Amino acid sequence: ACPLRWPPEWSVKEKIMKAEKNKVVTFHYTLKNAEGEQMESSREGDPMAYLHGTNSIIVGLEKAMEGREAGEEFSVTVQPEEAYGVRNDNNVQRIPLKRLKGIGKVQVGQILNLQTNKGQVQVTVLKVGRFNVDVDGNHPLAGHELTFDVEVMEIRDATEEEVTHGHAHGPGGHQHD
């Protein structure tokens, strides 16, 4: 009697891709603060794409993605140290309004890009006085514990160009003009 032989295509297992260095991971997320309030979500648009292992997303979320597969859903709570950092009170400063020429009327809550001796810095306007403005150079989410509800949509090998550039290209990633 002849032993039963399976067609080769049945015996070859498809390699399951995992989130690891030089893989492009595409995912949907919902971000909640410590009180459980939704702050943002990708669900209304395209999923986000990033090149794993390049620190293109916050450290705590990238760590939680390590080893995940497409189709996985999970939640992770990230402490400030692995998210947008702890608040630094030295990043709150008072600057003369005359330094903001050309910006127009400055309002509380406005985000400004200021040129400093360390390069361009994004700040949030806290208070507008007659001659000065108080600004906060901390990221708006600095000091906050964040919870991400994540659904991994797709994982693929990064192209050589993506690896060279250090980020994902295409929908949800970075496009070049």
Side-chain angles (χ1 to χ4, degrees):
C2 159
L4 186 60
R5 299 188 80 176
W6 295 100
E9 65 270 12
W10 290 2
S11 62
V12 176
K13 286 190 177 178
E14 190 177 320
K15 184 175 186 265
I16 296 173
M17 294 229 179
K18 294 186 180 292
E20 58 190 19
K21 187 160 180 62
N22 294 334
K23 300 288 187 203
V24 173
V25 180
T26 306
F27 66 99
H28 272 298
Y29 70 94
T30 300
L31 172 62
K32 297 176 187 167
N33 62 17
E35 291 74 39
E37 299 163 338
Q38 181 175 317
M39 300 174 74
E40 64 182 56
S41 177
S42 67
R43 293 265 176 208
E44 293 81 43
D46 289 329
M48 183 174 175
Y50 78 98
L51 180 59
H52 194 82
T54 58
N55 298 318
S56 347
I57 61 174
I58 63 172
V59 174
L61 183 55
E62 188 170 49
K63 282 182 180 178
M65 287 284 206
E66 183 72 32
R68 301 283 181 171
E69 299 173 5
E72 279 194 59
E73 293 184 46
F74 65 94
S75 288
V76 60
T77 299
V78 180
Q79 298 306 311
E81 296 80 7
E82 290 194 327
Y84 293 99
V86 294
R87 282 194 53 78
N88 180 348
D89 291 334
N90 292 331
N91 288 342
V92 176
Q93 298 182 351
R94 177 165 287 166
I95 57 175
L97 267 173
K98 63 184 176 188
R99 275 200 50 213
L100 304 179
K101 285 193 188 319
I103 292 179
K105 185 165 173 55
V106 179
Q107 299 176 337
V108 172
Q110 187 176 359
I111 307 287
L112 303 174
N113 291 310
L114 301 181
Q115 196 60 41
T116 70
N117 56 1
K118 294 180 181 175
Q120 197 169 33
V121 176
Q122 197 171 68
V123 298
T124 304
V125 176
L126 299 177
K127 181 180 173 187
V128 180
R130 194 166 170 186
F131 301 106
N132 298 303
V133 61
D134 292 350
V135 297
D136 185 352
N138 288 294
H139 186 283
L141 295 176
H144 291 272
E145 177 184 279
L146 305 173
T147 298
F148 292 88
D149 294 331
V150 177
E151 180 181 2
V152 181
M153 306 304 291
E154 179 186 13
I155 299 173
R156 65 171 173 80
D157 288 320
T159 65
E160 195 174 307
E161 184 181 38
E162 288 171 320
V163 172
T164 301
H165 290 180
H167 57 250
H169 293 170
H174 180 83
Q175 282 80 30
H176 288 280
D177 295 329

